Structures are given as structure tokens and as C-alpha cells.
């Protein structure tokens, strides 16, 4: 708060600025520890169960009239709507307390963050809809809906993940020698161009961040690629990426058509969120191009290149300068 005040050199008081503070009600962890930000060791927000911190926060609002917002984001994927609604209730109560202490309607905006999950296991949204969330908020935090304050949300994966997918060419198909004679062993490894540089969470923490993988067979120079349905005879594959370490695998023992060969494609679904944004420079690879597509009125597919890949070595080297 002091930094904002100094930066603005006292000008905020005379402006219609709305600056908010992120608070942390410390509600605990969700199902995925690394996405949990409301536990005692969280680095985010002012931890308000701490009485001294809470008093300090309220004191800021009393002192600075340009402080008008409160923000809470209790976590992502695996936090459940009841927990999200508890976070909202916490900031609504706090907003009312701050208004009382300021003797004015000070809090004009409440930002309840993101946190709604995406379903990485199937095509469906995963047993929830945005209207379910509204219903959970109406039940758990009805006062959020009175019209005296603006409510802001920050949904990430619930909106983004299902609208993106990654296609990666199969560079090599390798047999896996089942030397230990284990029953549940893959038969082949598909070495592709999608690895831990793009699917960082999946490769380093596969139990928490599994992805759905499909395959398409592609005969060069002829018709378009065709979907390799899983009801044809299948093999178990490990799906590996291009990086130089053993854990560079986005799928382990995945069942896909037995006919897959070099030049075919694997497609990783639900990858519109936390994928390209986590791109790493491991092995100095260049990021992939990004295409957007939509259906036209006459039912054709229109494709647009929205982000080119830089194939130049110069671009890669520049990063290391
Ligand atoms: C402050 C904040 N808001 C929103 C989000 C988006 O989260 P989600 O993808 O769970 O909706 C995040 C994710 O890290 C965040 O840190």
C-alpha cells in the first residue's frame, strides 16, 4: 500500500482510482497441494486470521480513501465450490466491516478470483457449469448478489483449457523391451515434439496433471489425417517429448491404435490453459506456432496463424545473452 501511495505521489486521493488488496482467509488446501494458495504457508495475500495483520489492513482502508477493492483467490483445480463460496463470504464480511469502520461505503469492488476446475478426463465440462457455481455462491454467500458492489471474477482454466489442443508429430516409434516381464508395461514409445517444455506440470507431476491424448494417422501427400479410433486394435504407448531427460513423457501406458507410425500425430486435448504459458527453454527449443480457427457461415473451417514460431537460431541464442 505504501509503495502505491509513494508511486502515485499522493495523487490517488484526488482521483477516482480503485485499488484493491488481496487477502487470504487461510481456508486450507484443496486436492492439489501445488495449486493451493489458502494454506498457512501460502505466499499470497494478507493472512487475515492473524489479528495484527487484519487490524493493519483495516487501518489502511481507514487511512487511504482510494483503497476500494478486496480480492480473494483461494486456489485452483480441486478446491470445490463450497470452498470458493467460503472465500467469497469471507471477503463480503470483511468488506462490510471495513465500510463500518470507515463510516462510508468504501468497498466498491469485490474480486473473488478464479478457481473453477476443468475436466481433464473426458469431453464433458466435468459435472459442473457456471450456473452451478452461481447457485453455490447464492447458497453459500447470498450477500455477494446484492447490487451495492461490483463483483469481478478471474476464471482461468475453466474457460481456457477446453478450447485449445496441441498437435505433435511422431518423430520415432520405438519398441520397449519388456525385460522384467511386467504385465503392465508399454509396448512402444512414441517420441514426439510435445514434452516437458510445453507440458511442464504433466511431466513433473503426472498424477496431479494428467492429459488426454488422441492419435491421428496421416498419409503424406494424400487425404487429411484421420482419427485413429480407440476401438481398433490398440497398443500401450509411452508418449515422450523431445527433451534430454527421462521424465520427458506426457503419457505413460496410453492405449492408442496399434498402427501408429512415424509422421502420424498425437493430439493433446484440453491444453488451452497452463500449457504454452509455461513454456520453458529447456534444450533451447523454439516455441510452437499457434493457430486459431472457427467455422464460417458456409460450414468451412477458417484458420489463422496468430503466433508464428521463430525458427531462427538467432532468436534462441538471444534468450541466453
Ligand atoms: C490470482 C489468480 N486469479 C485467477 C487465477 C486463475 O485460476 P483458475 O485457473 O483456477 O481459474 C489464478 C491462477 O493461478 C490466480 O493466481
Amino acid at each position: 500500500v505504501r509503495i502505491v501511495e509513494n508511486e502515485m505521489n499522493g495523487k490517488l486521493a484526488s482521483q477516482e482510482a480503485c485499488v484493491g488488496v488481496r487477502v487470504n482467509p487461510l481456508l486450507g488446501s484443496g486436492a492439489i497441494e501445488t495449486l493451493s494458495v489458502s494454506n498457512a504457508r501460502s505466499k499470497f495475500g494478507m493472512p487475515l486470521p492473524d489479528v495484527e495483520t487484519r487490524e493493519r489492513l483495516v487501518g489502511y482502508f481507514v487511512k487511504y480513501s482510494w483503497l476500494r477493492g478486496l480480492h480473494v483467490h483461494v486456489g485452483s483445480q480441486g478446491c470445490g465450490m463450497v470452498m470458493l463460496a467460503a472465500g467469497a463470504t469471507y471477503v463480503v464480511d470483511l468488506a462490510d466491516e471495513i465500510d463500518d469502520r470507515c463510516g462510508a461505503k468504501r468497498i466498491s469492488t469485490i474480486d473473488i478470483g478464479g478457481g473453477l476446475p476443468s475436466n481433464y478426463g473426458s469431453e464433458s465440462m466435468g459435472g459442473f457449469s457456471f450456473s452451478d457455481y452461481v447457485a453455490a455462491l447464492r447458497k453459500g454467500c447470498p450477500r455477494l448478489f446484492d447490487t451495492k458492489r461490483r463483483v469481478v471474477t478471474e476464471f482461468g482454466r475453466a474457460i481456457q483449457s477446453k478450447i485449445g489442443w496441441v498437435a505433435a508429430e511422431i518423430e520415432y516409434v520405438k519398441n520397449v523391451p519388456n525385460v522384467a516381464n511386467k504385465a503392465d508395461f508399454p509396448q512402444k514409445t512414441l517420441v514426439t515434439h510435445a514434452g516437458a517444455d510445453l507440458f511442464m506440470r504433466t511431466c513433473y507431476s503426472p498424477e496431479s496433471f494428467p492429459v488426454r491424448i488422441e492419435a491421428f494417422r496421416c498419409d503424406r501427400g494424400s487425404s487429411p489425417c484421420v482419427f485413429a479410433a480407440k476401438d481398433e486394435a490398440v497398443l500401450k504407448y509411452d508418449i515422450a517429448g523431445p527433451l534430454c531427460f527421462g521424465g520427458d513423457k506426457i503419457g505413460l501406458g496410453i492405449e492408442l491404435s496399434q498402427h501408429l507410425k512415424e509422421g502420424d500425430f498425437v493430439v493433446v486435448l484440453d491444453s488451452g490453459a497452463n500449457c504454452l504459458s509455461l513454456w520453458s527453454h529447456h534444450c533451447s527449443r523454439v516455441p510452437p506456432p499457434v493457430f486459431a480457427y472457427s467455422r464460417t457461415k458456409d460450414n468451412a473451417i477458417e484458420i489463422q496463424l496468430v503466433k508464428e514460431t521463430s525458427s531462427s537460431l538467432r532468436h534462441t541464442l538471444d534468450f541466453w545473452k
Side-chain angles (χ1 to χ4, degrees):
V1 171
R2 252 176 259 116
I3 292 171
V4 175
E5 173 72 345
N6 291 344
E7 282 290 314
M8 297 305 288
N9 207 9
K11 286 185 205 141
L12 278 171
S14 59
Q15 291 175 4
E16 282 296 294
C18 173
V19 178
V21 178
R22 180 169 179 174
V23 298
N24 195 332
L26 303 191
L27 297 180
S29 296
I32 302 175
E33 195 56 33
T34 50
L35 299 186
S36 298
V37 293
S38 198
N39 45 32
R41 292 175 76 166
S42 174
K43 64 178 178 168
F44 295 104
M46 294 180 74
L48 293 196
D50 179 58
V51 176
E52 184 273 323
T53 306
R54 192 183 177 99
E55 261 318 290
R56 188 153 48 88
L57 174 82
V58 176
Y60 288 149
F61 278 88
V62 171
K63 182 168 177 197
Y64 300 113
S65 61
W66 42 264
L67 271 182
R68 298 203 183 97
L70 283 173
H71 166 47
V72 67
H73 171 79
V74 295
S76 296
Q77 191 80 15
C79 284
M81 291 187 202
V82 172
M83 183 169 170
L84 300 181
T89 305
Y90 194 92
V91 279
V92 169
D93 288 345
L94 179 65
D96 288 345
E97 181 188 333
I98 289 171
D99 279 0
D100 279 353
R101 298 269 295 270
C102 292
K105 285 194 174 156
R106 176 59 60 75
I107 306 296
S108 63
T109 302
I110 288 185
D111 178 342
I112 59 170
L116 274 190
S118 182
N119 173 24
Y120 293 91
S122 74
E123 203 62 30
S124 89
M125 286 285 280
F128 87 92
S129 66
F130 287 97
S131 46
D132 291 339
Y133 186 40
V134 172
L137 286 172
R138 276 195 194 282
K139 189 163 173 234
C141 184
R143 279 178 302 129
L144 186 66
F145 293 86
D146 67 31
T147 49
K148 66 180 180 182
R149 298 185 181 111
R150 187 169 65 125
V151 176
V152 174
T153 57
E154 300 178 351
F155 299 119
R157 71 182 69 231
I159 291 177
Q160 304 285 347
S161 75
K162 287 221 169 290
I163 59 172
W165 46 271
V166 169
E169 189 170 345
I170 299 169
E171 184 87 26
Y172 306 109
V173 181
K174 285 190 66 182
N175 286 328
V176 177
N178 191 356
V179 280
N181 236 345
K182 288 189 179 155
D184 197 23
F185 217 60
Q187 286 133 310
K188 293 188 177 182
T189 301
L190 303 178
V191 182
T192 77
H193 294 260
D197 44 1
L198 201 48
F199 293 94
M200 185 178 312
R201 289 179 176 171
T202 301
C203 291
Y204 289 101
S205 189
E207 303 79 22
S208 298
F209 301 102
V211 285
R212 284 193 297 146
I213 299 172
E214 306 280 17
F216 285 75
R217 292 213 298 274
C218 195
D219 290 318
R220 298 275 149 176
S222 62
S223 50
C225 295
V226 285
F227 178 56
K230 285 187 188 170
D231 52 12
E232 36 183 270
V234 293
L235 292 180
K236 275 194 183 138
Y237 295 96
D238 278 0
I239 319 290
L243 302 184
C244 61
F245 72 109
D248 186 36
K249 288 188 176 167
I250 59 171
L252 298 173
I254 307 289
E255 291 193 342
L256 294 170
S257 162
Q258 66 171 354
H259 301 298
L260 295 180
K261 60 184 186 320
E262 287 150 17
D264 289 344
F265 281 82
V266 293
V267 167
V268 190
L269 302 165
D270 314 320
S271 38
N274 305 303
C275 178
L276 188 63
S277 58
L278 303 185
W279 176 260
S280 87
H281 287 263
H282 195 157
C283 294
S284 288
R285 284 169 39 82
V286 289
V290 178
F291 297 88
Y293 64 95
S294 57
R295 214 174 264 285
T296 61
K297 276 189 208 127
D298 45 2
N299 221 18
I301 303 249
E302 200 169 68
I303 301 181
Q304 206 189 337
L305 177 64
V306 290
K307 185 184 154 309
E308 280 192 53
T309 187
S310 167
S311 52
S312 86
L313 183 60
R314 168 61 44 211
H315 177 90
T316 306
L317 293 177
D318 279 350
F319 176 78
W320 299 110
K321 266 191 189 163

